[in-house]
């Protein structure tokens, strides 16, 4: 598969594994896993296991994880970003002192007033470095703003943080007092 085809398949997997498994007749288990064979069958046989492995291994953000399932068959899940109800089973971990959030500059007045909210996803997504946050914000139209999050103060106040398998920091919400324009 060429690069464009890999990106197309990755987008399709994201949609199915994070947002709408029922669109291809799949059900995820409570932790978000589904058997690789079942996924390939649900895709109508157009995608081979080798194609899938190429997407998983070559993905710029390591969005998907494959592991042997309890019945001996391999299973796959998205490492973060779900809107369907799954419990990834992540344990809270102490965050680094500062985390970053890239967004559209147009959203700043609302974010300053209400803090960062998770919207349709399970968590607010935060990045460990400014460069990654800037790229996340760059998915939006118009100028990008990068906010620094005082994660040390939030952790001290009892807010839990989680780190997905692919290094995305997750938390339930970030109240405005923990945000700085970086
Ligand atoms: C904004 C991608 C107004 C928030 C990325 C963001 C990430 C507010 C948008 C992952 C707000 C939600 C998630 C408030 C938050 N007022 N706007 N109070 N609170 N927002 O896509 O963080 O490529 O759900 O700033 O790399 O942009 O898909 O979250 O702009 O890791 O793997 O509401 O998606 O990963 O947008 O991105 P999203 P996000 P993938």
């Amino acid at each position: 598969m060429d690069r464009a085809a890999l990106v197309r398949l990755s987008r399709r997997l994201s949609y199915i594994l994070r947002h709408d498994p029922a669109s291809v007749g799949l059900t995820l288990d409570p932790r978000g896993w589904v058997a690789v064979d079942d996924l390939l069958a649900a895709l109508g046989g157009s995608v081979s296991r080798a194609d899938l492995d190429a997407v998983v291994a070559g993905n710029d953000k390591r969005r998907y994880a494959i592991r042997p399932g309890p019945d001996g068959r391999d299973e796959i899940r998205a490492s973060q970003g779900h809107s369907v109800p799954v419990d990834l089973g992540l344990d809270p971990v102490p965050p680094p002192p500062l985390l970053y959030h890239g967004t559209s500059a147009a959203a700043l007045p609302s974010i300053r007033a209400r803090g960062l909210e998770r919207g349709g996803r399970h968590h607010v997504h935060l990045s460990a470095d400014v460069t990654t946050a800037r790229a996340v914000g760059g998915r939006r139209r118009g100028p990008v703003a990068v906010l620094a999050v005082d994660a040390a103060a939030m952790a001290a106040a009892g807010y839990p943080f989680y780190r997905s398998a692919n290094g995305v920091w997750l938390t339930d919400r970030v109240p405005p007092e923990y945000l700085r324009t970086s």
Side-chain angles (χ1 to χ4, degrees):
M1 271 204 290
D2 62 20
R3 202 178 137 60
L6 286 174
V7 170
R8 271 199 308 277
L9 178 54
S10 176
R11 293 224 168 103
R12 194 158 175 221
L13 290 179
S14 267
Y15 179 73
I16 293 169
L17 296 175
R18 293 168 166 180
H19 305 303
D20 198 358
S23 65
V24 290
L26 289 174
T27 308
L28 308 182
D29 83 1
R31 301 253 147 152
W33 297 99
V34 67
V36 167
D37 294 346
D38 293 347
L39 172 65
L40 296 177
L43 291 172
S46 56
V47 177
S48 69
R49 173 66 196 256
D51 291 340
L52 186 72
D53 286 345
V55 168
V56 171
N59 197 255
D60 57 346
K61 221 176 124 183
R62 293 178 291 120
R63 289 177 177 84
Y64 315 102
I66 291 184
R67 66 172 194 185
D71 60 0
R73 298 195 296 163
D74 281 354
E75 54 188 13
I76 183 169
R77 78 175 180 185
S79 291
Q80 37 72 225
H82 299 78
S83 59
V84 287
V86 299
D87 173 4
L88 294 175
L90 301 174
D91 293 322
V93 279
L98 284 179
L99 288 168
Y100 301 91
H101 181 84
T103 188
S104 137
L108 285 180
S110 163
I111 291 173
R112 286 213 181 89
R114 305 210 311 256
L116 288 172
E117 299 169 319
R118 58 192 177 155
R121 305 204 196 231
H122 291 191
H123 297 99
V124 169
H125 288 223
L126 302 171
S127 308
D129 60 84
V130 175
T131 307
T132 306
R134 195 163 291 287
V136 172
R139 291 153 53 242
R140 311 270 157 212
R141 244 172 229 273
V144 174
V146 174
L147 297 163
V149 173
D150 188 347
M154 283 184 68
Y159 289 88
F161 286 82
Y162 309 89
R163 192 172 180 273
S164 71
N166 58 338
V168 177
W169 283 91
L170 307 168
T171 196
D172 300 327
R173 57 186 280 262
V174 179
E177 60 269 30
Y178 297 107
L179 291 169
R180 318 261 176 280
T181 310
S182 80

